[in-house]
Amino acid sequence: MDQKRWATISDGPLMTAAIVFLAAYSWQVLGRPHPDVDDWLEIVEWITWAAFLIDYVMRLKLADPRAQWFWRHLLDLAAVALPILRPLRLLRLIALLSVFQRAAGNGLRGRVVTYAIGSTVVLVYIAALSVLEAERADPGATIRSFGDAVWWASATITTVGYGDLTPHTTTGRMIAVALMIGGIALLGTITATIASWLVQQVADKDEASQIASRAQVAELADRIQELTDLLAVDGRGAGLAPSGTGPPPG
């Protein structure tokens, strides 16, 4: 089995695990369930983490060359190693974004845009959840509701930063930095994709114009050849005429 075959098998279960984790975490933050229910939700989150850990180990095992793959996927390693610490458990959702990317592929611009838009929505949502969890217990916090958190995350990911809502805790500020970096990367992807599409449109029109010009040149060459052939026939006809014939004497 190679990595491509493993991805075909694992992408569906990983997507399901990521969605289950997101639902459980959303329930914890927004629903504030009873401690017994919260414990069960923690178990669900650890099970989903185990699924991402298995995926990482399998992809590392199937990689060739393995060392090169390891150094190029340090972010994937962080996504499965750091969430052991509760404040960093949302790093598990990096794996969700990577599954989106693997499912969307990089061959078509439309798929890249779909991935970028989907990733943006997911980033805003999980950043809002995480900053709300980190901030609402702080006495000086300005982010105290999910609506405030969504507004803050939307302003931050677009690098607007109105400043009316700001995180005060260290965890909240770390989330803000990660969100700004993610926003710049995603906006850059969308901008590059649009620019590539515009360049392709111009290139297609230029190619169509060149094809039309070549067709006109070929048509003109055919006309010239027809005239040349006609003149040659007329010239041979004049050469075959009797020598005595000619203009009448004056």
Side-chain angles (χ1 to χ4, degrees):
M1 181 186 296
D2 56 8
Q3 277 195 341
K4 186 175 181 180
R5 175 62 177 165
W6 171 252
T8 303
I9 297 173
S10 63
D11 281 354
L14 284 177
M15 183 73 73
T16 302
I19 293 173
V20 169
F21 170 81
L22 188 58
Y25 183 65
S26 300
W27 190 357
Q28 282 186 313
V29 176
L30 301 177
R32 296 189 178 185
H34 187 273
D36 293 338
V37 177
D38 189 75
D39 292 339
W40 279 105
L41 293 175
E42 284 287 337
I43 293 173
V44 170
E45 292 174 8
W46 280 110
I47 292 174
T48 60
W49 173 80
F52 292 121
L53 176 62
I54 293 171
D55 175 66
Y56 176 82
V57 171
M58 285 298 298
R59 287 191 292 141
L60 177 61
K61 180 180 178 181
L62 297 173
D64 184 25
R66 191 171 301 169
Q68 184 177 5
W69 186 92
F70 173 81
W71 289 111
R72 288 185 176 180
H73 294 80
L74 291 178
L75 188 60
D76 292 340
L77 176 61
V80 297
L82 295 179
I84 295 176
L85 304 175
R86 182 180 174 87
L88 300 176
R89 58 183 173 171
L90 278 173
L91 284 176
R92 298 172 202 175
L93 289 171
I94 293 176
L96 173 60
L97 301 183
S98 66
V99 173
F100 279 162
Q101 185 179 23
R102 282 154 54 181
N106 295 318
L108 299 176
R109 296 188 191 92
R111 292 183 178 181
V112 174
V113 171
T114 300
Y115 161 69
I117 293 174
S119 298
T120 302
V121 172
V122 171
L123 277 177
V124 168
Y125 181 72
I126 64 177
L129 285 177
S130 57
V131 80
L132 177 61
E133 183 186 32
E135 292 290 313
R136 63 185 172 191
D138 187 87
T142 57
I143 303 173
R144 295 188 174 276
S145 68
F146 184 64
D148 290 341
V150 171
W151 170 252
W152 169 83
S154 301
T156 302
I157 197 171
T158 55
T159 66
V160 174
Y162 289 106
D164 53 343
L165 300 172
T166 56
H168 287 73
T169 64
T170 301
T171 302
R173 290 174 179 175
M174 290 174 61
I175 294 168
V177 171
L179 187 59
M180 285 185 282
I181 294 173
I184 292 172
L186 289 171
L187 289 175
T189 299
I190 295 174
T191 303
T193 302
I194 294 174
S196 175
W197 177 77
L198 290 174
V199 170
Q200 184 63 45
Q201 293 299 310
V202 173
D204 290 342
K205 289 184 179 180
D206 288 343
E207 184 178 358
S209 299
Q210 291 175 3
I211 292 174
S213 299
R214 287 196 294 267
Q216 292 172 353
V217 170
E219 183 180 358
L220 181 60
D222 292 339
R223 293 288 182 88
I224 293 174
Q225 185 63 43
E226 290 176 1
L227 291 174
T228 302
D229 295 342
L230 182 60
L231 290 174
V233 171
D234 290 344
R236 287 196 299 270
L240 293 173
S243 58
T245 63

